[in-house]
């Protein structure tokens, strides 16, 4: 996860650049979800094996959802001839968030769906494995999915909002217009550095679940009221 910001920053900057090209929009969404797929795979709960088939299924689903949403909105904008050019540009700047947030949730769900089928290990307070729980796996993926939905929100919403106001100022038009890409990149990087720790901190990596909510066969294996599991990052 430590490489998420340095490797993801150029991708986010590319996604924020307004474009009328469906190919360019699709390219940045594909690149972003390829990066996310690798992150989700490396930061999963690895107590159960994940096959190459599961990896490729998650990768295909995430990329397909992102590209379909982004390109679909682009097509709708092109067909809306009554919209002003400035309005179309503003809408294009906000395309990345719904596309990325939806795809990120699909990405983590599909990349880690094997955990839902096999379950994940639950531990007692002494860090001793009690057994494997599908219920804990569902809770782990729900928490991770919420993290993935929140993560792109500041990154992909704050910069377009800031730029929509800054571009109207005399100072920007006179001195900074020619450095537009660099200016946007600075805002994106700042948002990125803030968003990642906030998103990761929503839920602890090692979460807990009440024993009464586990499968009946696991309840019999411990007298502790709460057990723990690694939800991944």
């Amino acid at each position: 996860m430590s490489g998420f910001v340095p490797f993801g920053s150029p991708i986010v900057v590319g996604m924020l650049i307004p474009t009328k090209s469906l190919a360019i929009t699709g390219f940045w969404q594909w690149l972003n979800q390829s990066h996310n797929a690798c992150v989700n795979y490396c930061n999963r709960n690895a107590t159960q094996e994940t096959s190459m088939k599961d990896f490729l299924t998650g990768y295909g689903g995430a990329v397909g959802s992102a590209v379909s949403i982004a390109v679909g909105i682009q097509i709708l904008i092109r067909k809306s001839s009554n919209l002003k050019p400035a309005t179309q540009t503003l809408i294009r700047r906000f395309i990345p968030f719904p596309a990325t947030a939806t795809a990120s949730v699909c990405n983590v769900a599909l990349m880690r769906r094997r955990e839902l089928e096999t379950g994940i290990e639950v531990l007692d307070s002494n860090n001793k494995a009690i057994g494997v729980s599908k219920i804990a796996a569902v809770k782990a993926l729900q928490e991770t999915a919420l993290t993935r939905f929140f993560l792109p929100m500041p990154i992909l919403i704050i910069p377009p909002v800031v730029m929509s106001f800054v571009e109207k100022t005399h100072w920007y038009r006179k001195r900074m217009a020619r450095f537009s890409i660099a200016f946007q990149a600075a805002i994106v990087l700042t948002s990125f550095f803030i968003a990642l720790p906030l998103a990761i901190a929503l839920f602890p990596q090692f979460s807990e679940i009440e024993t009464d909510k586990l499968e009946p066969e696991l309840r019999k294996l411990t007298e502790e009221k709460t057990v723990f599991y690694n939800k991944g990052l």
Side-chain angles (χ1 to χ4, degrees), residues 135-193:
I135 295 176
V138 171
K139 189 169 184 289
L141 285 191
Q142 287 175 340
E143 293 172 345
T144 308
L146 286 173
T147 298
R148 292 297 187 273
F149 183 85
F150 173 81
L151 178 58
M153 189 180 297
I155 303 168
L156 298 177
I157 289 183
I158 293 177
V161 170
V162 172
M163 290 304 299
S164 65
F165 285 101
V166 170
E167 286 175 343
K168 297 177 182 178
T169 63
H170 176 72
W171 167 81
Y172 180 85
R173 290 197 300 266
K174 184 177 180 180
R175 298 186 179 183
M176 296 298 296
R178 55 182 172 176
F179 303 112
S180 177
I181 300 300
F183 191 82
Q184 291 186 61
I187 299 174
V188 168
L189 290 176
T190 301
S191 301
F192 212 164
F193 276 104

Side-chain angles (χ1 to χ4, degrees), residues 60-231:
V63 172
S65 62
V67 174
S68 298
I69 293 171
V71 173
I73 294 177
Q74 285 276 30
I75 293 174
L76 288 175
I77 292 174
R78 289 186 176 187
K79 292 183 177 180
S80 301
S81 56
N82 58 325
L83 292 178
K84 297 179 180 179
T87 304
Q88 292 190 19
T89 299
L90 185 62
I91 293 175
R92 287 191 193 98
R93 281 181 172 168
F94 286 94
I95 284 177
F97 175 66
T100 303
T102 301
S104 294
V105 172
C106 292
N107 193 317
V108 72
L110 290 169
M111 289 299 297
R112 295 177 54 179
R113 68 185 179 88
R114 181 66 177 168
E115 296 173 30
L116 298 176
E117 299 171 357
T118 62
I120 60 176
E121 282 190 352
V122 290
L123 313 170
D124 61 18
S125 57
N126 295 317
N127 206 33
K128 179 181 179 181
I130 299 171
V132 176
S133 170
K134 292 183 180 180
I135 295 176
V138 171
K139 189 169 184 289
L141 285 191
Q142 287 175 340
E143 293 172 345
T144 308
L146 286 173
T147 298
R148 292 297 187 273
F149 183 85
F150 173 81
L151 178 58
M153 189 180 297
I155 303 168
L156 298 177
I157 289 183
I158 293 177
V161 170
V162 172
M163 290 304 299
S164 65
F165 285 101
V166 170
E167 286 175 343
K168 297 177 182 178
T169 63
H170 176 72
W171 167 81
Y172 180 85
R173 290 197 300 266
K174 184 177 180 180
R175 298 186 179 183
M176 296 298 296
R178 55 182 172 176
F179 303 112
S180 177
I181 300 300
F183 191 82
Q184 291 186 61
I187 299 174
V188 168
L189 290 176
T190 301
S191 301
F192 212 164
F193 276 104
I194 294 174
L196 182 61
L198 289 178
I200 297 300
L202 287 176
F203 302 99
Q205 180 176 352
F206 285 89
S207 297
E208 60 183 45
I209 184 173
E210 295 178 5
T211 307
D212 291 341
K213 295 181 179 179
L214 295 177
E215 292 85 346
E217 60 271 20
L218 291 179
R219 300 175 198 168
K220 301 175 183 179
L221 300 178
T222 181
E223 296 181 354
E224 297 187 10
K225 295 183 178 180
T226 302
V227 293
F228 305 87
Y229 59 89
N230 177 11
K231 75 169 182 61

